[in-house]
Structures are given as structure tokens and as C-alpha cells.
Amino acid sequence: MGGQAIPLFDYYMAPGVLQTFKKHLKQQIFAMFDYEDIKDLLNVDKMDKLISSQKHMDFDKHLLYVLIPKAADQERLKKNLDKCYNRAIALTDRDTYQAMEALVANLNTMHSRCGAQVPFSSLNYGTDTSPEGRMVIKNLLLAEEAGLGDGETPIFPIAIFKVKEGVNYNPTDPNYDMLQLACRVTSLRLFPNFAFLDAPFNKVFYKDGVPDSEVGYMGCRTRVMANVYNKRKEVISGRGNLSFTTVNLPRLGIKYGIALGADKADMDGFFKELGEMCDLVKDQLLERYKLQAKKKVKNFPFLMGAGVWQDSEKLNPEDTLEKVLKHGTLTIGVIGLSECLIALTGKHHGESPISQELGLLIVKFMREKCDSYCEKYKMNFSLIATPAEGLSGRFIKIDRERFGLIPRVTDKEYYTNSNHVDVKYSISVKEKLAIEAPYHELTNGGHIAYVELDGLTAANPEAIMQVVRMMHDAGIGYGAINHPVDRDPVCGYTGIIGDVCPRCGRRDGEEVPLELVAKYKGSIYHHYKIADKPNLFDPTTPNTLDVSDLEK
């Protein structure tokens, strides 16, 4: 089984939080009043039904007050009921935090894949504005911020905060404080990543008041939303990517560009073979689907047997999965666009507008091929900006053996991830986002934009907020922000350490080594330095980060 994502974590957990609150409120009221006396002071049955019928924690407490007999001490009982209510809120908040703390701990210690790895898990959240949903969001973020054990940064779950105007993007939005907290946690723990529901290709599916229409992501980029198989079920829950296969773009660039001479790129030949390659991948994906479709419900007791997958609740244990799996996606991947463009034009898309135009043409060609397969087979073919953590090194090794060392193409350890701008190219955050954003619209199977900040961002969450806003305004669908995360396992300090821990003064190698490895979330990133302001990251010095700082 591959990665698993919960698309609406806050919405799913909120009912449980509400039930916990109701339990605590009833317990507190019974604990506050002696049970034998309470029947004279309050109508127990009515109180129980009243509390049980509430849809949210923030109900009007005057509903409780009306149960107080007129002959009783009204003010005293009202104050006592207020205490019960407030205590129930506090206890529910505590229980929710402990639940989130346990979730994070379990997902970093519970082994899967034959014991080789902990579950590859993702949680999407951030848009539930109910008091219960907000309590889930807050406490999950706080659990992530606290870290594991002595403060170690958790690797899983991959937390994904969904950003939406009118919900949490603007200061007047009800969950804006949750976005602020998310930025604070990201500044320390690398997560959450950020999904942007206002990106045009995500917004088109959004329906106000329908959480299942909010686009979510899995892991470092996978996206599933459109559904040509059943247009009425273009929703995020109960679906997933069945499999994807990646096309080696640099190899085609070498064959039809550099191999013919820098000024003799054969674009007709390039697109002809690219089309043939897409057709080959399509056939392979369909073959894999046929094998998957022969499996039975009983082979997947959780996903299918428990009705997790769309329409699987209608099947019996001996039924095959053919119709149910059609809600999923079959995906063609893109890798090494940067090296492909260098091989064809001499420059990548960060260096030349002409190369950018060609890059978009190439990816658009592949997207149109996927769309044509959707129309022909009535199945969900999509295009993904492949993560390629391992494939980027494997492909280049094979091509280097075949074509030799080619400057800026095969003379390194890996191809550039998907459609990203070359990792070693110096470019501003704003320019990088502007170049990569159009590819997000084309890669409907998944995409991500990475920005790496150089500096102690833990002291300045405003830097994270600025980048989030730049991503939103550029039309990015999904983005992540990275920075160095060093840790002293002795005193628990987390941040930039260097050779000496700034908290306890311990040098690397004394007692145990310092953990000086930044925990990156993907394979290829850009490296930026945010302004040379001496106090930019000094927590004792108030400051703000201008967009201009990120453009330098």
C-alpha cells in the first residue's frame, strides 16, 4: 500500500471533539451538584437531552439557565453552570491535545511496509471554522510544534494546511489565527505545507459549505479531484491515484537537441517521440489497472471492505474492484524539464523566456495527451510533476552511460525534480514562483513549489507568512517552505547550531554528536538568503519582513 491521506482531518475529528465536550459537561454538572439535590434544582432528563442535542460547543448557556427552578438561587446556580461549562471546555481541549500528541507519536513509530518504514501519512486541514474543528486544528499544530520526545522534529504526518480567502487568509477571516499558528509551526518544524484553494484550477471545484469540494493533496504533491468517470462525484474523499509512470524528458532533449547540434534541435522529432512515449505509458497504466481491477473486495478489507473507497460500500467481499477503481487516477509523470530545455535550447526556463515558452508547450502537450485518454477511455488520466526522489538519480546514471558527460545535463548526480527551475540557478522567490505556477495548472495529477529559507526563521514566522502570501498570489496550487533544522539531543535546542549549541554551549562531539542535518521534505530545492538585516531573526527585536526582502 502506498501513501495515505486524510483530506478533511479537522471536519472528520470535530464530531468526536463535540461528543467529548458533552461528556465532560454532563460529568461536571453532576460533580458540581450533589446528585440527590440536583433533581430538586435542575431537571436532569431535560438537561441531558438539551446537552445531547447541541450541534456545537459554543451553544447559548442561557439554555441551561432556563432549567433552573425559579425558587432556586438563580445567580449562584448560573455561576456554577458557567464554571461547569468552562471546565468542560478546558478538559476537552486537554483531551484533544493529548489525542493529537498520540497521533503524531504513533505515526512516527508505528511501522508498515514490512517494517521498513512508518506509515506514509498526510493530513489536510485548516478550513473547519466550527469551535470543534478549530480545536482540532489548534491542537494538531501545537502537537507538531512540541515535537517528539525531547523535541525532535516529526517526519510524519505530512501536515497540509489549506489556505482559503474568506476562511483563513485575511486578518478578518474566522481562521486567520490558525494560519498564523501554522506559519509559526512551519518556522520551527518545516510542516505544515500549504494547499491553496483559491488557485484557479482548485477554485473551480470549490463549493461553499461543501468540504468534500476542497482540493486536498497527498504527501509531497499528489492531487486527485476531477472525475470523468462520474462527474457527479468530483470530490476529494474516497479516491486516490492508482499508479503513475514517469517519462524521461532529458533523454528526449538529448536525442533531438544536443545530439544533433545546439542549433539543430529537431522539435518535430521530439514531439513525435514524446507522443509515442505517452501512448506507451498509457498502455502500461491500463495494463496495471486491469490487474488491479481483478482483485476482490476481500483483498482490501479496510479500503474496500470498510467502504473507505468511493462506491465500495455497495460491493460484496467476492466482488471485483473494476468499477470502483475507476474513481481513481492513472497518471503520467514529468521529470527533468530543466535539463531537457538545456539540451534543446542551451538554457533552462529560469534563464530564458523562450525556454519557458517551450517548457510550457512540452508540458501542455503531455496534459493534452492525458485529456485525450480521458475522453477515449472515460477514465481519469492525469499529469503529475513527479517527485522522483530516487528516479532523478537513476535516470541520469543510465543516460550518462549512454550519452556520456554533457555539461549541465548529465554531469551531476540527479536530474532536476519535475518542472522545477534548476536548483543551482540564482533566482528570487517571486521569480521562481512566477515561472513554476503555470505548470501547476497543467499538472492536474499533482505539483508542488519549494522555497528554502536560509536563516533562523523560528524567530520570525512573519517570513513564512510572506512566502505563503506570495505563493497564493502567484497561483501556486501547493507549496512548501524549508529551512535548516539542527538539534542538540542533550539540551533539546532546535534551530541553527553550527559547531556550538547556543543554548548550552556544548560543542559537536562532546557526549553525543549534534544533529546538524536539515530535514528536507523533497529532493530538489532552491536556496535563498533573506535580507542581510542584523536583527531580522532576533526574537527580542520586533521587525517585519517586506516582500522586497524576498526578491533579493
Side-chain angles (χ1 to χ4, degrees):
M1 186 182 294
Q4 300 292 307
I6 298 179
L8 302 164
F9 183 74
D10 41 359
Y11 288 99
Y12 293 160
M13 293 295 104
V17 172
L18 179 60
Q19 291 304 315
T20 300
F21 165 75
K22 291 177 179 180
K23 177 194 71 174
H24 281 308
L25 182 56
K26 293 175 185 179
Q27 290 175 343
Q28 288 301 306
I29 290 176
F30 281 108
M32 179 71 72
F33 303 97
D34 181 83
Y35 182 73
E36 293 301 320
D37 294 336
I38 197 172
K39 289 185 289 188
D40 297 328
L41 298 173
L42 299 174
N43 187 312
V44 178
D45 292 334
K46 285 186 178 180
M47 180 201 70
D48 187 84
K49 291 179 180 178
L50 174 66
I51 294 174
S52 298
S53 66
Q54 298 308 309
K55 296 182 179 180
H56 296 293
M57 294 190 299
D58 60 346
F59 67 89
D60 187 353
K61 287 181 288 185
H62 285 82
L63 295 174
L64 291 174
Y65 299 160
V66 299
L67 299 179
I68 301 173
K70 293 182 180 180
D73 186 342
Q74 292 277 329
E75 292 306 314
R76 181 179 69 84
L77 290 179
K78 286 180 181 179
K79 289 181 180 180
N80 286 340
L81 288 173
D82 286 349
K83 290 179 182 179
C84 292
Y85 176 89
N86 293 335
R87 179 65 174 162
I89 290 288
L91 289 171
T92 304
D93 193 55
R94 180 205 64 183
D95 290 351
T96 304
Y97 177 78
Q98 290 180 339
M100 297 303 109
E101 187 179 41
L103 175 69
V104 172
N106 285 333
L107 288 176
N108 285 274
T109 56
M110 182 172 59
H111 288 279
S112 67
R113 295 186 181 181
C114 301
Q117 180 181 314
V118 296
F120 196 101
S121 52
S122 305
L123 304 178
N124 291 260
Y125 60 91
T127 54
D128 189 344
T129 58
S130 71
E132 304 81 37
R134 284 172 49 79
M135 188 173 283
V136 172
I137 297 167
K138 180 192 73 172
N139 284 295
L140 177 57
L141 286 168
L142 291 178
E144 289 270 355
E145 185 177 45
L148 303 169
D150 293 327
E152 182 181 355
T153 295
I155 303 303
F156 292 106
I158 296 177
I160 303 167
F161 190 93
K162 295 184 290 186
V163 180
K164 179 75 180 76
E165 289 189 49
V167 177
N168 53 32
Y169 184 69
N170 299 307
T172 55
D173 292 342
N175 276 9
Y176 181 70
D177 56 340
M178 296 293 103
L179 175 60
Q180 290 178 305
L181 178 58
C183 289
R184 190 181 89 189
V185 176
T186 295
S187 71
L188 178 65
R189 296 298 181 194
L190 301 178
F191 292 115
N193 295 343
F194 298 90
F196 298 92
L197 303 186
D198 293 316
F201 44 88
N202 287 337
K203 192 174 184 178
V204 68
F205 295 102
Y206 183 82
K207 298 180 179 67
D208 191 26
V210 183
D212 224 4
S213 68
E214 299 176 5
V215 172
Y217 290 82
M218 194 290 293
C220 60
R221 66 196 68 208
T222 307
R223 174 184 182 273
V224 176
M225 197 63 195
N227 192 350
V228 298
Y229 169 62
N230 189 336
K231 288 279 188 179
R232 294 172 298 174
K233 295 192 175 182
E234 289 188 320
V235 295
I236 189 63
S237 62
R239 304 175 61 206
N241 177 251
L242 303 179
S243 55
F244 71 86
T245 300
T246 299
V247 174
N248 186 344
L249 289 180
R251 182 177 301 173
L252 296 180
I254 294 170
K255 289 177 64 177
Y256 294 97
I258 285 178
L260 301 177
D263 58 342
K264 297 180 180 179
D266 178 7
M267 296 312 304
D268 289 338
F270 174 89
F271 280 107
K272 181 177 183 295
E273 185 166 345
L274 178 58
E276 293 171 350
M277 195 65 64
C278 288
D279 289 340
L280 179 64
V281 171
K282 175 261 298 179
D283 292 339
Q284 184 253 353
L285 291 172
L286 286 173
E287 185 66 24
R288 288 187 67 180
Y289 164 75
K290 291 176 182 178
L291 292 173
Q292 293 168 326
K294 292 179 181 178
K295 297 295 182 180
K296 297 182 178 181
V297 171
K298 67 181 183 182
N299 298 131
F300 301 90
F302 176 68
L303 288 180
M304 304 299 171
V308 174
W309 196 273
Q310 194 74 246
D311 286 347
S312 61
E313 71 280 0
K314 303 174 183 178
L315 301 180
N316 297 313
E318 293 295 329
D319 291 337
T320 60
L321 307 178
E322 182 178 3
K323 293 182 178 180
V324 168
L325 289 183
K326 284 188 176 182
H327 289 297
T329 59
L330 298 170
T331 305
I332 298 176
V334 176
I335 188 175
L337 180 66
S338 176
E339 288 76 20
C340 175
L341 293 173
I342 292 173
L344 291 171
T345 71
K347 295 181 179 181
H348 59 66
H349 49 323
E351 297 173 310
S352 166
I354 294 177
S355 294
Q356 167 72 342
E357 185 177 349
L358 177 57
L360 290 172
L361 190 63
I362 292 171
V363 176
K364 184 179 180 182
F365 175 87
M366 297 182 71
R367 169 61 185 275
E368 289 175 347
K369 291 290 287 185
C370 290
D371 290 346
S372 70
Y373 303 147
C374 289
E375 182 65 25
K376 180 177 180 179
Y377 297 97
K378 300 304 177 185
M379 294 182 67
N380 295 305
F381 284 89
S382 61
L383 182 67
I384 189 173
T386 300
E389 282 87 352
L391 195 60
S392 58
R394 180 172 177 270
F395 268 173
I396 200 169
K397 182 180 179 180
I398 295 173
D399 290 344
R400 186 163 51 241
E401 292 175 354
R402 179 176 178 180
F403 299 105
L405 286 174
I406 301 174
R408 303 179 66 203
V409 180
T410 63
D411 62 343
K412 47 189 177 181
E413 296 182 0
Y414 48 78
Y415 283 140
T416 301
N417 202 334
S418 61
N419 50 246
H420 295 172
V421 175
D422 188 276
V423 64
K424 296 182 179 179
Y425 183 64
S426 179
I427 188 173
S428 74
V429 176
K430 188 174 183 179
E431 290 173 323
K432 177 181 185 291
L433 295 176
I435 290 171
E436 294 188 3
Y439 294 97
H440 284 211
E441 183 170 9
L442 295 172
T443 49
N444 58 336
H447 42 249
I448 195 168
Y450 285 111
V451 169
E452 184 181 340
L453 304 180
D454 183 12
L456 189 56
T457 54
N460 189 2
E462 290 84 358
I464 304 297
M465 181 67 82
Q466 287 284 2
V467 175
V468 168
R469 293 190 171 280
M470 292 176 71
M471 288 178 171
H472 174 278
D473 295 345
I476 292 295
Y478 182 40
I481 304 167
N482 303 280
H483 52 84
V485 178
D486 301 331
R487 179 175 175 270
D488 184 344
V490 174
C491 72
Y493 175 82
T494 300
I496 295 179
I497 294 179
D499 295 326
V500 180
C501 175
R503 175 180 291 173
C504 66
R506 191 174 68 85
R507 290 186 174 277
D508 190 18
E510 294 177 357
E511 298 184 53
V512 295
L514 296 169
E515 297 175 5
L516 302 177
V517 179
K519 301 180 187 299
Y520 299 137
K521 296 176 291 184
S523 56
I524 309 297
Y525 303 110
H526 278 271
H527 202 72
Y528 299 98
K529 196 170 186 67
I530 300 184
D532 53 349
K533 296 182 179 180
N535 295 320
L536 185 61
F537 299 111
D538 183 355
T540 63
T541 304
N543 58 74
T544 58
L545 183 71
D546 296 328
V547 173
S548 59
D549 294 328
L550 295 168
E551 296 176 355
K552 295 180 180 179

